[in-house]
Amino acid sequence: MDYHFAKEVFERYLDGYDRENDKVRLKIVHTYGVVAQSAEIARRMGLPEEDTELARIIALLHDIGRFEQVRQFDSFMPDTMDHASYGVEMLFGQAQGCPPHMIRQFLKEDTCDEIIRAAIAKHSDFLLEGIEDERALLHAKIIRDADKLDNCRVKLVDDFETFMDATAEETGASVISPKVREDALSEKSILSADRETPMDYWVSYLAYFYDLNFRESLDIVAEKDYVSRLIHRISYSDPRTRETMEELEKRLVAYVKGAHAGEN
């Protein structure tokens, strides 16, 4: 289990893509951000070194399918590609243009293959289901939380159009669909199929907080004040949208504080 070796291989893999492309660059930075968040969650949980190293390797590889999605479609939107499934096919199958079982380039031993496969396959699922092995489930939860935590950074610092395919002004001027509004204010994550407007997508990123698995992850959200900082990143010119976002902020802050205090 050698993260630094896997990182060297990953960097050579990235040389096949345009590192100057905004979307490629965003995903490279995001990948290493998720590595850092995975290590931090593992540290806070007091996990053994082997599991910490495994969590970092899973984070390194979790979005490997995204780079091909950008090359083919110049988009991160889920209707263009299931990047998690494609990443699993690249690593453990024989995706077009990839060597068979590419995972062996990153990791010589196969003892953790099923854990890595399950964690990457499930990291972007709406619900985390179908994993019975306790250690695989642990790592699936870590990568899901770490991914969402670094996505907070992405949504705060990166160019809006790069990840939204819409400007901040266009997003803030749009409405929130009734189903998305109802679910977000009911402490539910947002189903991709229910997103219709730019604001639906923006609200869905905030509703990620309801799907965090560990108190340690919610502690990070509270410490970084991610809820309010994200909500106030853009202006809401539609009155109904503005009203909903004010209410969502109150509910999310209360939710995170409750979880932060061990009440959820």
Side-chain angles (χ1 to χ4, degrees):
M1 199 73 65
D2 188 342
Y3 166 77
H4 294 290
F5 172 79
K7 180 182 175 182
E8 291 177 3
V9 178
F10 183 69
E11 283 293 322
R12 291 196 295 272
Y13 165 78
L14 292 176
D15 288 338
Y17 296 89
D18 179 8
R19 291 174 180 261
E20 298 304 312
N21 178 286
D22 285 344
K23 290 183 173 67
V24 171
R25 186 168 60 247
L26 183 153
K27 278 300 164 184
I28 294 172
V29 175
H30 170 65
T31 293
Y32 289 119
V34 177
V35 170
Q37 292 290 355
S38 293
E40 178 62 12
I41 292 169
R43 183 191 70 79
R44 291 182 182 226
M45 294 179 70
L47 296 182
E49 179 60 30
E50 182 179 0
D51 278 306
T52 300
E53 198 78 345
L54 177 56
R56 295 173 77 200
I57 290 172
I58 290 170
L60 184 75
L61 301 176
H62 84 285
D63 262 357
I64 197 166
R66 283 291 197 192
F67 300 98
E68 195 59 28
Q69 183 183 21
V70 171
R71 193 208 309 264
Q72 293 185 30
F73 302 102
D74 191 35
S75 175
F76 296 135
M77 292 297 109
D79 59 344
T80 62
M81 177 187 283
D82 182 341
H83 74 282
S85 294
Y86 189 77
V88 169
E89 183 64 20
M90 289 174 66
L91 291 168
F92 295 98
Q94 193 167 1
Q96 185 175 3
C98 297
H101 301 289
M102 193 167 72
I103 187 66
R104 292 284 74 79
Q105 294 184 10
F106 298 94
L107 197 65
K108 297 306 180 184
E109 295 184 2
D110 63 2
T111 53
C112 292
D113 276 10
E114 291 310 308
I115 295 173
I116 297 169
R117 181 201 295 265
I120 293 176
K122 299 289 186 180
H123 85 267
S124 61
D125 281 6
F126 181 64
L127 296 174
L128 181 54
E129 299 175 324
I131 300 179
E132 297 182 1
D133 179 78
E134 185 175 333
R135 193 177 181 206
L137 183 59
L138 168 68
H139 282 281
K141 288 180 176 180
I142 291 173
I143 188 58
R144 285 170 68 90
D145 280 17
D147 193 20
K148 291 177 175 67
L149 288 172
D150 189 69
N151 265 314
C152 293
R153 179 199 57 76
V154 170
K155 303 306 186 288
L156 284 170
V157 305
D158 280 296
D159 182 76
F160 217 79
E161 291 180 81
T162 302
F163 59 81
M164 279 289 292
D165 289 345
T167 68
E169 291 74 18
E170 289 168 342
T171 301
S174 67
V175 299
I176 303 171
S177 301
K179 180 67 163 62
V180 170
R181 182 182 188 277
E182 178 184 353
D183 285 349
L185 295 179
S186 300
E187 300 186 359
K188 296 179 181 178
S189 296
I190 309 302
L191 188 65
S192 292
D194 291 334
R195 300 185 296 190
E196 301 175 3
T197 71
M199 271 305 304
D200 288 347
Y201 279 85
W202 186 238
V203 169
S204 74
Y205 300 142
L206 291 157
Y208 280 163
F209 296 128
Y210 296 134
D211 192 46
L212 290 172
N213 293 284
F214 302 115
R215 190 186 70 189
E216 290 81 358
S217 303
L218 282 154
D219 286 348
I220 294 171
V221 173
E223 291 163 13
K224 299 286 187 180
D225 192 25
Y226 276 144
V227 172
S228 293
R229 290 170 64 199
L230 281 167
I231 286 179
H232 292 285
R233 178 173 181 188
I234 66 175
S235 298
Y236 307 101
S237 55
D238 178 82
R240 177 65 164 164
T241 295
R242 184 166 58 251
E243 177 185 308
T244 298
M245 296 308 287
E246 289 171 355
E247 180 63 26
L248 182 59
E249 180 179 10
K250 293 177 185 176
R251 297 194 186 198
L252 275 170
V253 167
Y255 177 87
V256 170
K257 283 184 176 178
H260 181 60
E263 296 169 8
N264 282 329

